[in-house]
């Protein structure tokens, strides 16, 4: 074994590539990830990988070349832009006498540095422990057995490795219980927002697309924003005013990235629920990024993975200040496709067209109507209140005049009510014409 460096500042990058493919953008993004983690990139090496070597992931010749380059550059850390098995990671460390971190470990390290909220720290620690639990190999060679080797103590004993695994398992159970409690609290707050009839708009997009800068421009909040990957991890919610459709809640979420580790997706599932349960997504795209089309595909893949693929979207092409001849505008386009807004969050251009696009989409996703409910339909009135659909109510001689203003997602579950109530509500709440008096038997089937 060797003494691992604790600094990890001088990093050598290893970029595996499929045969016949050479994508410098992948290496550039990985170098930016390394710098975001605080490393100084001293060199890089590409490796053609047709079939992963079970021992080193790369071929033995490339592994020897990696060792030689590490010695020549004096690197104390090797970063591999691919997920490695614990055996491959350990074998590369033994060969190069240098600490080796794969893509998953690097992203986890960045997340650990940037998490600020209680929930974010719990989520990152849980993901790190899951990643670490498969890599507890030969970390305690000086303690081969906890017990054994003396009179009265002979027997199989318990290795330090097994003890560490059990401690990690217990810690992960504790973290999961605490996260479940936080998720319950967040769900209760989300239900309270729904009862208050405030729609939720969530910012999503590839990391470093300018989401936090746009969040600050729209709400006036002082959220930290920087030109680096994963500058913001913890979700932030602020009131969004000035919309023709009324106020809303704007949520800033963690940025996405290609090949986002599954442990992180699982750990941040409660945080990403802000996107999954939002009424509208603002998909922020870096218009100056030459790989922007691929970035959109990567974000859509993560949205589908967390169950937010069907949430309505507005495509926000940000950073037009970095391109010449591009003006702020709103493109409505095909009614079946999401509207596109061209903005610059940095200098404020295009914010009004963006507000207009948000208001239009929110209005389309809300149900607004007036119902005349008789006194005999007290059960239906109670259901409308329990679902949080009632915006205003006035007593009439024969019953109640109820104004409905709520997200469509809250209204639609009532369409399954029995005794004709569900069918009557569907016709009245989704019809643009003037409502009729409550008479469920006339529409029951």
């Amino acid at each position: 074994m060797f003494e691992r460096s604790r600094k990890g500042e001088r990093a050598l990058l290893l970029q595996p590539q499929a045969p016949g493919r050479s994508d410098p953008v992948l290496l550039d993004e990985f170098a930016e990830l390394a710098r975001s983690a605080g490393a100084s990139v001293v060199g890089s090496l590409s490796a053609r990988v047709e079939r992963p070597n079970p021992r080193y992931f790369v071929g033995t010749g490339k592994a020897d070349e990696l060792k030689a380059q590490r010695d020549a550059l004096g690197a104390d850390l090797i970063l591999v832009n691919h997920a490695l098995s614990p055996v491959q990671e350990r074998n590369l460390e033994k060969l190069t006498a240098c600490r080796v971190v794969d893509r998953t470990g690097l992203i986890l390290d960045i997340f650990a540095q940037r998490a600020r909220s209680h929930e974010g720290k719990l989520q990152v620690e849980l993901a790190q422990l899951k990643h670490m639990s498969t890599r507890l190999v030969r970390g305690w060679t000086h303690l081969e057995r906890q017990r054994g080797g003396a009179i009265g103590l002979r027997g199989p004993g318990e290795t330090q490795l097994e003890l560490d695994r059990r401690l990690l398992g217990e810690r992960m159970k504790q973290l999961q219980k605490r996260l479940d409690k936080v998720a319950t609290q967040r769900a209760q707050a989300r239900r309270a927002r729904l009862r208050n009839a405030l729609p939720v708009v969530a910012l999503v997009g590839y990391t470093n697309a300018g989401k936090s800068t746009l969040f600050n421009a729209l709400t006036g909040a002082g959220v930290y924003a920087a030109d680096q990957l994963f500058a913001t991890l913890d979700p932030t919610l602020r009131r969004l005013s000035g919309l023709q459709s009324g106020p809303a809640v704007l949520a800033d979420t963690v940025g996405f990235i290609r090949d986002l580790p599954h442990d992180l997706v699982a750990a941040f599932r409660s945080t990403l629920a802000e996107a999954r349960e939002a009424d509208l997504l603002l998909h922020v795209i870096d218009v100056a990024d030459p790989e922007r089309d691929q970035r959109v595909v990567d974000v859509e893949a993560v949205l589908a993975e967390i169950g937010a693929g069907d949430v309505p979207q507005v495509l926000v092409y940000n950073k037009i200040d970095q391109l010449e001849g591009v003006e702020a505008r709103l493109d409505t386009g095909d009614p079946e496709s999401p509207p596109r807004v061209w903005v610059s969050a940095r200098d404020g251009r295009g914010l009004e067209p963006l507000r207009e696009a948000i208001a239009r989409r929110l209005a389309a996703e809300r149900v607004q109507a007036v119902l005349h409910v008789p006194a005999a339909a007290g059960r239906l009135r109670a259901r409308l209140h329990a679902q949080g659909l009632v915006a205003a109510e006035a007593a009439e001689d024969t019953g109640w005049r109820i104004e409905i203003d709520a997200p469509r997602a809250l209204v639609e579950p009532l369409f399954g009510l029995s005794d004709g109530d569900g069918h009557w509500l569907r016709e009245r709440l989704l019809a643009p014409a003037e409502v009729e008096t409550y008479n469920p038997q006339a529409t029951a089937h």
Side-chain angles (χ1 to χ4, degrees), residues 371-390 393 400 402 404 411 413-426 428-429 436-441 443:
L371 298 177
H372 297 280
V373 180
R379 178 177 298 180
L380 175 62
R381 172 178 174 266
R383 292 295 298 269
L384 294 175
H385 277 282
Q387 196 72 7
L389 306 183
V390 179
E393 183 182 73
W400 302 273
I402 298 178
I404 302 296
V411 174
L414 294 183
F415 295 160
L417 292 177
S418 59
D419 299 329
D421 284 353
H423 187 80
W424 183 84
L425 282 174
R426 176 190 292 274
R428 300 308 178 271
L429 295 181
E436 299 178 6
T437 303
Y438 173 81
N439 185 9
Q441 299 303 323
T443 54

Side-chain angles (χ1 to χ4, degrees), residues 304-322:
E305 186 173 356
I306 65 174
D310 295 330
V311 180
Q313 293 187 19
V314 171
L315 301 182
V316 183
Y317 289 88
N318 190 27
K319 302 185 182 181
I320 61 174
D321 54 285
Q322 298 184 12

Side-chain angles (χ1 to χ4, degrees), residues 155-202:
E158 181 179 35
T159 65
Q160 184 68 41
L161 181 60
E162 292 168 343
L163 179 61
D164 289 346
R165 281 178 176 158
R166 189 172 73 249
L167 292 175
L168 279 180
E170 292 174 355
R171 176 61 177 168
M172 285 191 286
K173 290 180 181 178
Q174 294 175 358
L175 290 174
Q176 191 60 58
K177 289 182 180 179
R178 294 165 67 179
L179 279 173
D180 291 341
K181 183 177 180 180
V182 174
T184 301
Q185 295 171 345
R186 186 179 292 277
Q188 292 172 344
R190 192 177 297 114
R191 284 195 294 270
R193 292 200 303 270
L194 289 175
R195 285 196 298 269
N196 293 331
L198 283 182
V200 178
V201 181

